[in-house]
C-alpha cells in the first residue's frame, strides 16, 4: 500500500496494491499492521458502515464529539464521490482547512480521516456505494456537524448547488465557528 500524506496532518490518501490478471483483480483493502505503520498511529476499527446514494447526494459534514470522536477509513466500492475532510481541531495550524479527494470503484483509493475532522462526501456518478470503518461506536448524543457551504471553509464541491440532494438535518448545520467542539 502507498500512504500519501495530505496538507492536513494525520489525513492520508491510501492506494492499495492491485494485482490484475485475466480473472479480474485482487487487493488487500485493509491490514491493521500495514495501516498503523502507514499512518503512524495505533487505530483499532470497531464498526463498519455502508451507504448507497444517487448523483448529487451530499452527506456531511459530520463528526462525533468528546469520548465518542471517530477516526474513519473510507472508500467507494462502486461509483465515484468527492470525499472531504475538514480540520476542526481548535489549536491546529490548519483549523478550518479542508482536503478533497476523488474516490471511486475504479481508482480503489481510500482516505483516512483521523479524529478531530469533520467528514462528508458528494456523489459524482449516477450512484455510489460508500464504505467506511470507524474506530469508535456511533453515539447520537455526541453527533456534531458543519454546514456544507460554510463560507469560511469555502469547499469547492464542483457541483451546481441547485442539483444537490441534502438531508433536512444537513441543511441547518451551524458554521464551523458555531459548531460544537470535537474535543
Amino acid at each position: 500500500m502507498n500512504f500519501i500524506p495530505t496538507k492536513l496532518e494525520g489525513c492520508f490518501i491510501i492506494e492499495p496494491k492491485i494485482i490484475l490478471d485475466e480473472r479480474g483483480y485482487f487487493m488487500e483493502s485493509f491490514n491493521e499492521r500495514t495501516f498503523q505503520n502507514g499512518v503512524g498511529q495505533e487505530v483499532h476499527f470497531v464498526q463498519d458502515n455502508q451507504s448507497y446514494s444517487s448523483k448529487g447526494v451530499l452527506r456531511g459534514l459530520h463528526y462525533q464529539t468528546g469520548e465518542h470522536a471517530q477516526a474513519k477509513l473510507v472508500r467507494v466500492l462502486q461509483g465515484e464521490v468527492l470525499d472531504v475532510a475538514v480540520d476542526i481541531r481548535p489549536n491546529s495550524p490548519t483549523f478550518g482547512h479542508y482536503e478533497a479527494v476523488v474516490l471511486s470503484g475504479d481508482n480503489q483509493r481510500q482516505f483516512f480521516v483521523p479524529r478531530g475532522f469533520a467528514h462528508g462526501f458528494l456523489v459524482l456518478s449516477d450512484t455510489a456505494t460508500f464504505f467506511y470503518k470507524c474506530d469508535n461506536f456511533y453515539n447520537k448524543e455526541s453527533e456534531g456537524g458543519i454546514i456544507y457551504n460554510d463560507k469560511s471553509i469555502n469547499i469547492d464541491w464542483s457541483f451546481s448547488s441547485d442539483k444537490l440532494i441534502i438531508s433536512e438535518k444537513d441543511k441547518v448545520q451551524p458554521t464551523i465557528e458555531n459548531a460544537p467542539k470535537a474535543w
Side-chain angles (χ1 to χ4, degrees):
M1 289 186 173
N2 184 24
F3 290 80
I4 304 165
T6 69
K7 65 185 175 207
L8 302 178
E9 183 183 348
C11 287
F12 289 86
I13 297 167
I14 303 167
E15 296 176 331
K17 181 180 177 185
I18 300 172
I19 301 166
L20 294 165
D21 66 22
E22 65 277 356
R23 300 169 294 168
Y25 75 86
F26 173 84
M27 72 173 206
E28 184 176 75
S29 61
F30 180 75
N31 175 306
E32 186 176 65
R33 183 176 34 234
T34 302
F35 175 80
Q36 289 180 2
N37 287 337
V39 300
Q41 56 183 295
E42 193 170 311
V43 180
H44 298 284
F45 295 106
V46 298
Q47 181 176 323
D48 286 350
N49 301 305
Q50 185 170 316
S51 68
Y52 177 82
S53 305
S54 301
K55 186 174 194 165
V57 167
L58 192 150
R59 294 183 185 262
L61 301 158
H62 303 145
Y63 60 92
Q64 295 277 292
T65 61
E67 68 184 67
H68 299 286
Q70 292 177 319
K72 297 176 181 175
L73 177 61
V74 301
R75 65 187 180 119
V76 171
L77 303 175
Q78 167 274 318
E80 182 176 81
V81 307
L82 179 67
D83 199 68
V84 175
V86 178
D87 189 345
I88 58 173
R89 301 170 296 175
N91 298 321
S92 170
T94 56
F95 174 82
H97 295 208
Y98 75 93
E99 182 74 36
V101 59
V102 173
L103 303 177
S104 72
D106 290 337
N107 71 23
Q108 296 291 338
R109 283 181 150 188
Q110 298 178 63
F111 192 34
F112 175 63
V113 181
R115 293 178 180 199
F117 290 80
H119 174 258
F121 65 89
L122 170 66
V123 178
L124 304 174
S125 53
D126 287 339
T127 61
T129 304
F130 192 84
F131 180 83
Y132 50 107
K133 301 175 99 42
C134 299
D135 78 334
N136 205 350
F137 298 104
Y138 171 77
N139 180 285
K140 185 170 180 53
E141 290 76 38
S142 299
E143 188 174 47
I146 299 168
I147 190 76
Y148 70 96
N149 60 354
D150 185 327
K151 301 245 186 279
S152 69
I153 302 170
N154 200 27
I155 296 171
D156 180 8
W157 293 102
S158 299
F159 202 85
S160 176
S161 61
D162 63 331
K163 295 193 187 311
L164 293 176
I165 302 167
I166 305 170
S167 72
E168 291 305 313
K169 176 182 85 170
D170 286 346
K171 288 179 183 177
V172 297
Q173 294 287 5
T175 62
I176 193 170
E177 189 64 32
N178 296 314
K181 302 306 176 219
W183 307 116

